[in-house]
Amino acid sequence: MLYLKNELSVKCNRCGSVMQIDSDNFMYTSIDYERNMGTEVEYDFSTEIPCPECQNDIAILIRGFEYPVGALDHSDYECDGGVLLESPDLEVEYEPDGEIEVKEDNA
């Protein structure tokens, strides 16, 4: 599972106001794909907010790809109506599906 670690600073393209957007303001969806080394998961984090000063609409989309599961392969982002002042920081939180069973050889 990927999650967005940091609060983002965004500068409005219309008035230049800078605002902070907490990671809790983002909604996320995920899509699974089967590839050679197993499952690839694409996570899309998105939010739309009005600038508090001029009401300009600002839309942010952050994409992260986990492949193989448990490893961040790559990420990218788009910001319409504003500029992100720092890159989003995505982190993998990996939890194996089940416990590994160890069989003893009693030969």
Side-chain angles (χ1 to χ4, degrees), residues 12-56:
C12 177
N13 279 349
R14 183 182 295 164
C15 72
S17 176
V18 175
M19 67 204 82
Q20 303 299 313
I21 304 173
D22 190 83
S23 61
D24 291 339
N25 290 335
F26 286 81
M27 294 179 44
Y28 88 92
T29 59
S30 63
I31 303 168
D32 297 1
Y33 306 96
E34 285 303 317
R35 293 189 48 196
N36 292 339
M37 294 189 303
T39 304
E40 175 182 41
V41 184
E42 175 184 343
Y43 295 89
D44 293 343
F45 299 87
S46 61
T47 191
E48 290 188 26
I49 58 164
C51 172
E53 298 298 322
C54 70
Q55 302 306 307
N56 179 40

Side-chain angles (χ1 to χ4, degrees), residues 27-102:
M27 294 179 44
Y28 88 92
T29 59
S30 63
I31 303 168
D32 297 1
Y33 306 96
E34 285 303 317
R35 293 189 48 196
N36 292 339
M37 294 189 303
T39 304
E40 175 182 41
V41 184
E42 175 184 343
Y43 295 89
D44 293 343
F45 299 87
S46 61
T47 191
E48 290 188 26
I49 58 164
C51 172
E53 298 298 322
C54 70
Q55 302 306 307
N56 179 40
D57 289 328
I58 299 172
I60 302 169
L61 173 63
I62 303 165
R63 286 183 294 273
F65 297 84
E66 187 179 7
Y67 179 70
V69 171
L72 176 61
D73 185 41
H74 65 281
S75 63
D76 59 35
Y77 61 89
E78 301 170 12
C79 184
D80 294 323
V83 175
L84 289 179
L85 300 179
E86 72 269 345
S87 296
D89 189 8
L90 296 176
E91 186 168 292
V92 176
E93 185 174 283
Y94 180 63
E95 295 179 15
D97 289 336
E99 294 181 27
I100 299 172
E101 183 178 326
V102 177

